[in-house]
Amino acid sequence: MSAMRVDAKVVMLGKESVGKTSLVERYVHHRFLVGPYQNTIGAAFVAKPIQVGEKVITLGIWDTAGSERYEAMSRIYYRGARAAIVSYDLTDSSSFQRARFWVKELQNCEEHCKIYLCGSKSDLISEDRSLRQIDYHDAQDFADEIGAQHFETSSKTGTNVDELFQKVAEDYNSNAFQEMKPEETSVDLSQKKDSYFYSCCHNN
Amino acid sequence: MSQRTERRGGIHVDQSDLLCKNGCGYYGNAAWQALCSKCWREEYQKVRHKQIQDDWALAAKLQREEEAAYASSHGSQAQPPPQSTNPQPGHASLGPFSKFEEKKTNEKTRKVTTVKKFFSPSSRSAPKKETQEGKTPSPSLSRRASFDTDQVSKDFMDFLKNLHKPGREIHKQCRAFIVTMSSKKVQDLGADELSECVQDFYQNLSDRLLGHFKGSSESVEQVMDQVEKYIMTRLYKSVFCPETSDDEKKDLATQNRIRALHWVTIEMLCLSFDEEIPEVSENVVKAITDVIEMDSKRVPRDKLSCITRCSKHIFSAIRITKKEPASADDFLPALIYIVLKANPPRLQSNIQYITRFCNPSRLMSGEDGYYFTNLCCAAAFIEKLDAQSLNLSPEEFERYMSGQASPRSSDGVWSSAPPSDPINPVLAQLNTNLEALSGLSTRQEALMEAAQSLQAELLSWPQSVQHEVTGILKKYPLEVPPRHVPAIDDNDDVDNDNLPPPLMPQVFSG
Ligand SMILES: Nc1nc2c(ncn2[C@@H]2O[C@H](COP(=O)(O)OP(=O)(O)O)[C@@H](O)[C@H]2O)c(=O)[nH]1
Ligand SMILES: [Mg+2]
Ligand SMILES: [Zn+2]
């Protein structure tokens, strides 16, 4: 039962049916399933190793239950996430409102979580431009405002999917590297400075 | 003390098991080793104290062994390792913790007697253990402390031995930490503060390890897993569902809530389980067993493993039903269903304990963490569940909750099908057991009643006896006749006939 070690937790957030599960499915299994009865397949949790330069970063991708009735529970999911992919459906403006809601939630509760705004189902737009309900530049402005990366993806064709997750892994890698630097000089197990090692118990 | 005595599956219940083992008259609880809460607290204080002493004894012994092994394996390299500036490498790390040093000396005086006791041949020995140890049949190993806990210590030492000097350092840190955590002051801390202590310890130790292992988080996590196991096995009793928290209250609330929701069906949760397929119902039963088993584990990671096993069985059940892999959409409702069916003991306490004391890296990102988070969601959902979350009208929901109506009973969470139900033998078995249990509890109640009336009778018995005695005394008052002087006077009215004739003086002639 020794599961794969995971470097970073990535949560999928967004309104039901925007295509969160399809996105994971496409990225991890390189496939896309259509059909009125079957909207999702594949696992709910995936550990995915990604090559970043010399290193391998393993992302733990957390899919969430789609149904609205569990939406309130989603808040429990993003605790401790290092990245959140907040999806909206390019052909559904209400889903963009929902995305704004998730962004606000994350900003309030998870300041260490990097946000990736993802407009999904871009293949539908390519087929018929009139279907677009969210302007690219509006979304980009919003992304800039919140300091997020912005992608438009298609799980059907695979457009931008690998790029999105690659970016997540790269950002994590460079972030983690920065965080580690100051510590590198100070830690040596045999050093016995550490006055705060048992800091909570000093009142003994 | 051993985990094994903490059996949760109270299927086979001896009547006497239900009362406090101390015979104080209150009900005992398996979680408190068949004692009542009061006796348990008292007993537990003693045990914990003893355990700390035993810890020291064992640690000291293992340390000696380890040092001997180190010395022999390093032969002539007796000089201290290059980084160390302390002339006494063995005690180096305790330097900054003078407070602990003090504490330790206090403990030491007591420890000596304990160690001596181990060596004395009269002390109760555990021969099984010794044969297992094989090469070191030292009498000091025949200790009274629980086998499990000792085994964990031993495993921990064995693991650390391979790390050589850092291993010793880690061991010392852990030991000192456990002692600190066992002190009275720390015991009075709130649950969150206790958690902070442990998390700080994990954080600091893993930071230092990361430096030591040159940034290999794989190695760090390996060590941290062992550290968690060692520390939490020791601290479990004092930090699981601590008195300072309201965990116990929440446990009760959740338990009652789940009981009240016994009527929730698979359909209401929009769940894809076809329990008529034997393989599916098998997996469902396994999942239920796993989530119930969580309560019997001490190490947060072992509890997590139970949840993960439970989840895998759920995924299998869904996959078999749907004939394709399960997704997050299927998984959460299925987990909710399993939790409703299992009504896992002390669910909230277990969730809190894992949250507070698990190594965060495992809890936060990995697969175990995902399933655990889903369990938290399931618990939250059950707590907040209303008509809307089950697609019911408020009236329907009310009727089911109040027990005025129930959905088709065969779909109920507690299937009320007769024990002979051919469809699902495992559930049938569960039902039989449940019936046996409720029968037992009825008998237990009757017994209690009888005992109580017996007690009442016993209490009133001396009174009635006394009453009777007084009555008799009144009726036949004891009249002490006026004191008369017996014997001397021959004219006494005593019947002289029965007496031998008085001795008469006789004249002997000649
Ligand atoms: N054309 C098209 N359809 C998509 C795309 N992504 C998802 N869908 C469809 O949208 C529906 C919902 O997708 P799903 O991944 O289940 O959404 P979720 O509820 O967010 O997990 C499904 O019918 C998918 O086939 C996409 O990129 N292009
Ligand atoms: Mg989905
Ligand atoms: Zn008692």
Side-chain angles (χ1 to χ4, degrees), chain A residues 15-22 32-35 39-40 66 120-121 123-124 153-156:
Chain A
K15 195 183 166 186
E16 181 170 11
S17 307
V18 294
K20 302 180 289 293
T21 308
S22 302
F32 177 75
L33 290 180
V34 226
N39 59 353
T40 57
S120 64
K121 311 189 187 177
D123 57 287
L124 295 178
T153 61
S154 164
S155 305
K156 190 173 178 183

PDB file of all heavy atoms in Angstrom, chain A residues 15-22 32-35 39-40 66 120-121 123-124 153-156, ligand 1:
ATOM      1  N   LYS A  15     -17.609  24.878 -11.577  1.00  0.00           N
ATOM      2  CA  LYS A  15     -19.001  24.447 -11.631  1.00  0.00           C
ATOM      3  C   LYS A  15     -19.122  23.044 -12.243  1.00  0.00           C
ATOM      4  O   LYS A  15     -18.255  22.620 -13.021  1.00  0.00           O
ATOM      5  CB  LYS A  15     -19.763  25.463 -12.493  1.00  0.00           C
ATOM      6  CG  LYS A  15     -21.259  25.382 -12.360  1.00  0.00           C
ATOM      7  CD  LYS A  15     -21.923  26.372 -13.310  1.00  0.00           C
ATOM      8  CE  LYS A  15     -23.399  26.008 -13.409  1.00  0.00           C
ATOM      9  NZ  LYS A  15     -24.105  26.802 -14.388  1.00  0.00           N
ATOM     10  N   GLU A  16     -20.195  22.405 -11.907  1.00  0.00           N
ATOM     11  CA  GLU A  16     -20.458  21.074 -12.454  1.00  0.00           C
ATOM     12  C   GLU A  16     -20.486  21.133 -13.987  1.00  0.00           C
ATOM     13  O   GLU A  16     -20.971  22.093 -14.575  1.00  0.00           O
ATOM     14  CB  GLU A  16     -21.813  20.570 -11.931  1.00  0.00           C
ATOM     15  CG  GLU A  16     -22.156  19.184 -12.439  1.00  0.00           C
ATOM     16  CD  GLU A  16     -23.359  18.578 -11.735  1.00  0.00           C
ATOM     17  OE1 GLU A  16     -24.056  19.309 -11.002  1.00  0.00           O
ATOM     18  OE2 GLU A  16     -23.600  17.377 -11.925  1.00  0.00           O
ATOM     19  N   SER A  17     -19.924  20.135 -14.622  1.00  0.00           N
ATOM     20  CA  SER A  17     -19.926  19.972 -16.084  1.00  0.00           C
ATOM     21  C   SER A  17     -19.060  20.956 -16.854  1.00  0.00           C
ATOM     22  O   SER A  17     -19.199  21.068 -18.072  1.00  0.00           O
ATOM     23  CB  SER A  17     -21.332  20.091 -16.687  1.00  0.00           C
ATOM     24  OG  SER A  17     -22.193  19.251 -16.060  1.00  0.00           O
ATOM     25  N   VAL A  18     -18.197  21.699 -16.177  1.00  0.00           N
ATOM     26  CA  VAL A  18     -17.319  22.572 -16.962  1.00  0.00           C
ATOM     27  C   VAL A  18     -16.215  21.759 -17.625  1.00  0.00           C
ATOM     28  O   VAL A  18     -15.571  22.231 -18.560  1.00  0.00           O
ATOM     29  CB  VAL A  18     -16.694  23.703 -16.121  1.00  0.00           C
ATOM     30  CG1 VAL A  18     -17.758  24.667 -15.651  1.00  0.00           C
ATOM     31  CG2 VAL A  18     -15.897  23.143 -14.955  1.00  0.00           C
ATOM     32  N   GLY A  19     -15.997  20.546 -17.153  1.00  0.00           N
ATOM     33  CA  GLY A  19     -14.995  19.699 -17.800  1.00  0.00           C
ATOM     34  C   GLY A  19     -13.759  19.427 -16.960  1.00  0.00           C
ATOM     35  O   GLY A  19     -12.694  19.130 -17.504  1.00  0.00           O
ATOM     36  N   LYS A  20     -13.872  19.500 -15.646  1.00  0.00           N
ATOM     37  CA  LYS A  20     -12.720  19.237 -14.764  1.00  0.00           C
ATOM     38  C   LYS A  20     -12.211  17.810 -14.944  1.00  0.00           C
ATOM     39  O   LYS A  20     -11.023  17.571 -15.154  1.00  0.00           O
ATOM     40  CB  LYS A  20     -13.120  19.438 -13.288  1.00  0.00           C
ATOM     41  CG  LYS A  20     -13.658  20.812 -12.960  1.00  0.00           C
ATOM     42  CD  LYS A  20     -14.013  20.925 -11.500  1.00  0.00           C
ATOM     43  CE  LYS A  20     -15.250  20.120 -11.098  1.00  0.00           C
ATOM     44  NZ  LYS A  20     -16.496  20.611 -11.697  1.00  0.00           N
ATOM     45  N   THR A  21     -13.140  16.874 -14.835  1.00  0.00           N
ATOM     46  CA  THR A  21     -12.731  15.477 -14.907  1.00  0.00           C
ATOM     47  C   THR A  21     -12.170  15.144 -16.295  1.00  0.00           C
ATOM     48  O   THR A  21     -11.174  14.434 -16.417  1.00  0.00           O
ATOM     49  CB  THR A  21     -13.922  14.568 -14.568  1.00  0.00           C
ATOM     50  OG1 THR A  21     -14.471  14.998 -13.325  1.00  0.00           O
ATOM     51  CG2 THR A  21     -13.497  13.131 -14.448  1.00  0.00           C
ATOM     52  N   SER A  22     -12.782  15.689 -17.309  1.00  0.00           N
ATOM     53  CA  SER A  22     -12.295  15.435 -18.668  1.00  0.00           C
ATOM     54  C   SER A  22     -10.874  15.952 -18.849  1.00  0.00           C
ATOM     55  O   SER A  22     -10.058  15.336 -19.538  1.00  0.00           O
ATOM     56  CB  SER A  22     -13.209  16.119 -19.693  1.00  0.00           C
ATOM     57  OG  SER A  22     -14.524  15.660 -19.559  1.00  0.00           O
ATOM     58  N   PHE A  32     -10.420  11.112 -24.452  1.00  0.00           N
ATOM     59  CA  PHE A  32     -11.596  11.940 -24.234  1.00  0.00           C
ATOM     60  C   PHE A  32     -12.820  11.132 -24.607  1.00  0.00           C
ATOM     61  O   PHE A  32     -12.880  10.506 -25.659  1.00  0.00           O
ATOM     62  CB  PHE A  32     -11.526  13.202 -25.101  1.00  0.00           C
ATOM     63  CG  PHE A  32     -12.737  14.067 -24.969  1.00  0.00           C
ATOM     64  CD1 PHE A  32     -12.926  14.849 -23.837  1.00  0.00           C
ATOM     65  CD2 PHE A  32     -13.698  14.107 -25.972  1.00  0.00           C
ATOM     66  CE1 PHE A  32     -14.052  15.649 -23.703  1.00  0.00           C
ATOM     67  CE2 PHE A  32     -14.824  14.901 -25.843  1.00  0.00           C
ATOM     68  CZ  PHE A  32     -15.004  15.670 -24.707  1.00  0.00           C
ATOM     69  N   LEU A  33     -13.779  11.091 -23.721  1.00  0.00           N
ATOM     70  CA  LEU A  33     -14.973  10.296 -23.993  1.00  0.00           C
ATOM     71  C   LEU A  33     -16.177  11.213 -24.088  1.00  0.00           C
ATOM     72  O   LEU A  33     -16.376  12.082 -23.248  1.00  0.00           O
ATOM     73  CB  LEU A  33     -15.208   9.271 -22.885  1.00  0.00           C
ATOM     74  CG  LEU A  33     -14.188   8.132 -22.836  1.00  0.00           C
ATOM     75  CD1 LEU A  33     -14.522   7.182 -21.718  1.00  0.00           C
ATOM     76  CD2 LEU A  33     -14.165   7.388 -24.169  1.00  0.00           C
ATOM     77  N   VAL A  34     -16.948  11.005 -25.130  1.00  0.00           N
ATOM     78  CA  VAL A  34     -18.173  11.788 -25.272  1.00  0.00           C
ATOM     79  C   VAL A  34     -19.355  10.858 -25.055  1.00  0.00           C
ATOM     80  O   VAL A  34     -19.242   9.656 -25.216  1.00  0.00           O
ATOM     81  CB  VAL A  34     -18.309  12.428 -26.674  1.00  0.00           C
ATOM     82  CG1 VAL A  34     -18.733  13.869 -26.539  1.00  0.00           C
ATOM     83  CG2 VAL A  34     -17.026  12.292 -27.448  1.00  0.00           C
ATOM     84  N   GLY A  35     -20.439  11.426 -24.761  1.00  0.00           N
ATOM     85  CA  GLY A  35     -21.636  10.612 -24.589  1.00  0.00           C
ATOM     86  C   GLY A  35     -22.543  11.250 -23.580  1.00  0.00           C
ATOM     87  O   GLY A  35     -22.059  11.823 -22.606  1.00  0.00           O
ATOM     88  N   ASN A  39     -20.290  11.118 -18.313  1.00  0.00           N
ATOM     89  CA  ASN A  39     -19.498  12.340 -18.385  1.00  0.00           C
ATOM     90  C   ASN A  39     -18.078  12.182 -17.854  1.00  0.00           C
ATOM     91  O   ASN A  39     -17.216  12.969 -18.156  1.00  0.00           O
ATOM     92  CB  ASN A  39     -20.209  13.508 -17.708  1.00  0.00           C
ATOM     93  CG  ASN A  39     -20.505  13.225 -16.257  1.00  0.00           C
ATOM     94  OD1 ASN A  39     -20.291  12.111 -15.781  1.00  0.00           O
ATOM     95  ND2 ASN A  39     -20.997  14.221 -15.555  1.00  0.00           N
ATOM     96  N   THR A  40     -17.862  11.159 -17.060  1.00  0.00           N
ATOM     97  CA  THR A  40     -16.513  11.047 -16.505  1.00  0.00           C
ATOM     98  C   THR A  40     -16.048   9.599 -16.420  1.00  0.00           C
ATOM     99  O   THR A  40     -16.841   8.698 -16.212  1.00  0.00           O
ATOM    100  CB  THR A  40     -16.444  11.588 -15.069  1.00  0.00           C
ATOM    101  OG1 THR A  40     -17.384  10.879 -14.288  1.00  0.00           O
ATOM    102  CG2 THR A  40     -16.702  13.057 -15.009  1.00  0.00           C
ATOM    103  N   GLY A  66     -18.679  16.282  -8.849  1.00  0.00           N
ATOM    104  CA  GLY A  66     -19.263  17.329  -9.678  1.00  0.00           C
ATOM    105  C   GLY A  66     -20.585  17.874  -9.157  1.00  0.00           C
ATOM    106  O   GLY A  66     -20.841  19.069  -9.255  1.00  0.00           O
ATOM    107  N   SER A 120     -12.535  26.143 -20.601  1.00  0.00           N
ATOM    108  CA  SER A 120     -12.548  24.805 -21.192  1.00  0.00           C
ATOM    109  C   SER A 120     -13.425  24.725 -22.444  1.00  0.00           C
ATOM    110  O   SER A 120     -14.179  25.646 -22.753  1.00  0.00           O
ATOM    111  CB  SER A 120     -13.040  23.794 -20.158  1.00  0.00           C
ATOM    112  OG  SER A 120     -14.372  24.091 -19.810  1.00  0.00           O
ATOM    113  N   LYS A 121     -13.286  23.628 -23.134  1.00  0.00           N
ATOM    114  CA  LYS A 121     -14.074  23.293 -24.333  1.00  0.00           C
ATOM    115  C   LYS A 121     -13.813  24.262 -25.488  1.00  0.00           C
ATOM    116  O   LYS A 121     -14.724  24.658 -26.220  1.00  0.00           O
ATOM    117  CB  LYS A 121     -15.583  23.253 -24.003  1.00  0.00           C
ATOM    118  CG  LYS A 121     -15.890  22.416 -22.753  1.00  0.00           C
ATOM    119  CD  LYS A 121     -17.371  22.188 -22.541  1.00  0.00           C
ATOM    120  CE  LYS A 121     -17.617  21.500 -21.205  1.00  0.00           C
ATOM    121  NZ  LYS A 121     -19.019  21.287 -20.877  1.00  0.00           N
ATOM    122  N   ASP A 123     -12.577  23.714 -28.209  1.00  0.00           N
ATOM    123  CA  ASP A 123     -12.887  23.115 -29.510  1.00  0.00           C
ATOM    124  C   ASP A 123     -14.273  23.523 -29.997  1.00  0.00           C
ATOM    125  O   ASP A 123     -14.499  23.709 -31.193  1.00  0.00           O
ATOM    126  CB  ASP A 123     -12.771  21.589 -29.431  1.00  0.00           C
ATOM    127  CG  ASP A 123     -13.669  20.999 -28.366  1.00  0.00           C
ATOM    128  OD1 ASP A 123     -13.348  21.161 -27.157  1.00  0.00           O
ATOM    129  OD2 ASP A 123     -14.688  20.390 -28.689  1.00  0.00           O
ATOM    130  N   LEU A 124     -15.194  23.695 -29.061  1.00  0.00           N
ATOM    131  CA  LEU A 124     -16.547  24.106 -29.447  1.00  0.00           C
ATOM    132  C   LEU A 124     -16.532  25.494 -30.070  1.00  0.00           C
ATOM    133  O   LEU A 124     -17.245  25.774 -31.038  1.00  0.00           O
ATOM    134  CB  LEU A 124     -17.477  24.098 -28.221  1.00  0.00           C
ATOM    135  CG  LEU A 124     -17.743  22.739 -27.571  1.00  0.00           C
ATOM    136  CD1 LEU A 124     -18.639  22.898 -26.346  1.00  0.00           C
ATOM    137  CD2 LEU A 124     -18.381  21.781 -28.576  1.00  0.00           C
ATOM    138  N   THR A 153      -8.399  25.725 -22.928  1.00  0.00           N
ATOM    139  CA  THR A 153      -8.033  24.339 -23.258  1.00  0.00           C
ATOM    140  C   THR A 153      -9.184  23.601 -23.931  1.00  0.00           C
ATOM    141  O   THR A 153     -10.343  24.009 -23.844  1.00  0.00           O
ATOM    142  CB  THR A 153      -7.701  23.548 -21.982  1.00  0.00           C
ATOM    143  OG1 THR A 153      -8.854  23.518 -21.158  1.00  0.00           O
ATOM    144  CG2 THR A 153      -6.544  24.167 -21.222  1.00  0.00           C
ATOM    145  N   SER A 154      -8.821  22.511 -24.577  1.00  0.00           N
ATOM    146  CA  SER A 154      -9.838  21.584 -25.059  1.00  0.00           C
ATOM    147  C   SER A 154      -9.421  20.169 -24.676  1.00  0.00           C
ATOM    148  O   SER A 154      -8.343  19.718 -25.055  1.00  0.00           O
ATOM    149  CB  SER A 154      -9.992  21.665 -26.575  1.00  0.00           C
ATOM    150  OG  SER A 154     -10.705  20.523 -27.029  1.00  0.00           O
ATOM    151  N   SER A 155     -10.270  19.515 -23.926  1.00  0.00           N
ATOM    152  CA  SER A 155      -9.969  18.131 -23.563  1.00  0.00           C
ATOM    153  C   SER A 155     -10.289  17.213 -24.737  1.00  0.00           C
ATOM    154  O   SER A 155      -9.800  16.084 -24.797  1.00  0.00           O
ATOM    155  CB  SER A 155     -10.789  17.703 -22.347  1.00  0.00           C
ATOM    156  OG  SER A 155     -10.570  18.587 -21.287  1.00  0.00           O
ATOM    157  N   LYS A 156     -11.076  17.713 -25.665  1.00  0.00           N
ATOM    158  CA  LYS A 156     -11.433  16.882 -26.811  1.00  0.00           C
ATOM    159  C   LYS A 156     -10.246  16.763 -27.762  1.00  0.00           C
ATOM    160  O   LYS A 156      -9.881  15.676 -28.186  1.00  0.00           O
ATOM    161  CB  LYS A 156     -12.634  17.496 -27.541  1.00  0.00           C
ATOM    162  CG  LYS A 156     -13.232  16.596 -28.586  1.00  0.00           C
ATOM    163  CD  LYS A 156     -14.509  17.194 -29.149  1.00  0.00           C
ATOM    164  CE  LYS A 156     -15.092  16.296 -30.242  1.00  0.00           C
ATOM    165  NZ  LYS A 156     -16.291  16.908 -30.832  1.00  0.00           N
TER     166      LYS A 156
HETATM  167  N1  LIG C   1     -16.492  19.471 -26.662  1.00  0.00           N
HETATM  168  C1  LIG C   1     -15.981  19.355 -25.456  1.00  0.00           C
HETATM  169  N2  LIG C   1     -16.708  18.783 -24.465  1.00  0.00           N
HETATM  170  C2  LIG C   1     -16.139  18.672 -23.241  1.00  0.00           C
HETATM  171  C3  LIG C   1     -14.823  19.133 -22.988  1.00  0.00           C
HETATM  172  N3  LIG C   1     -14.546  18.874 -21.694  1.00  0.00           N
HETATM  173  C4  LIG C   1     -15.645  18.267 -21.165  1.00  0.00           C
HETATM  174  N4  LIG C   1     -16.607  18.148 -22.102  1.00  0.00           N
HETATM  175  C5  LIG C   1     -17.927  17.560 -21.880  1.00  0.00           C
HETATM  176  O1  LIG C   1     -18.578  18.252 -20.812  1.00  0.00           O
HETATM  177  C6  LIG C   1     -19.296  17.346 -20.000  1.00  0.00           C
HETATM  178  C7  LIG C   1     -18.876  17.469 -18.564  1.00  0.00           C
HETATM  179  O2  LIG C   1     -17.532  17.120 -18.395  1.00  0.00           O
HETATM  180  P1  LIG C   1     -16.892  16.652 -17.023  1.00  0.00           P
HETATM  181  O3  LIG C   1     -15.458  16.456 -17.247  1.00  0.00           O
HETATM  182  O4  LIG C   1     -17.640  15.517 -16.479  1.00  0.00           O
HETATM  183  O5  LIG C   1     -17.167  17.921 -16.114  1.00  0.00           O
HETATM  184  P2  LIG C   1     -16.972  18.083 -14.537  1.00  0.00           P
HETATM  185  O6  LIG C   1     -18.308  17.987 -13.915  1.00  0.00           O
HETATM  186  O7  LIG C   1     -16.394  19.453 -14.369  1.00  0.00           O
HETATM  187  O8  LIG C   1     -16.033  17.009 -14.098  1.00  0.00           O
HETATM  188  C8  LIG C   1     -19.048  15.960 -20.586  1.00  0.00           C
HETATM  189  O9  LIG C   1     -20.147  15.586 -21.383  1.00  0.00           O
HETATM  190  C9  LIG C   1     -17.829  16.122 -21.441  1.00  0.00           C
HETATM  191  O10 LIG C   1     -17.846  15.259 -22.545  1.00  0.00           O
HETATM  192  C10 LIG C   1     -14.086  19.719 -24.055  1.00  0.00           C
HETATM  193  O11 LIG C   1     -12.945  20.152 -23.917  1.00  0.00           O
HETATM  194  N5  LIG C   1     -14.711  19.801 -25.264  1.00  0.00           N
END
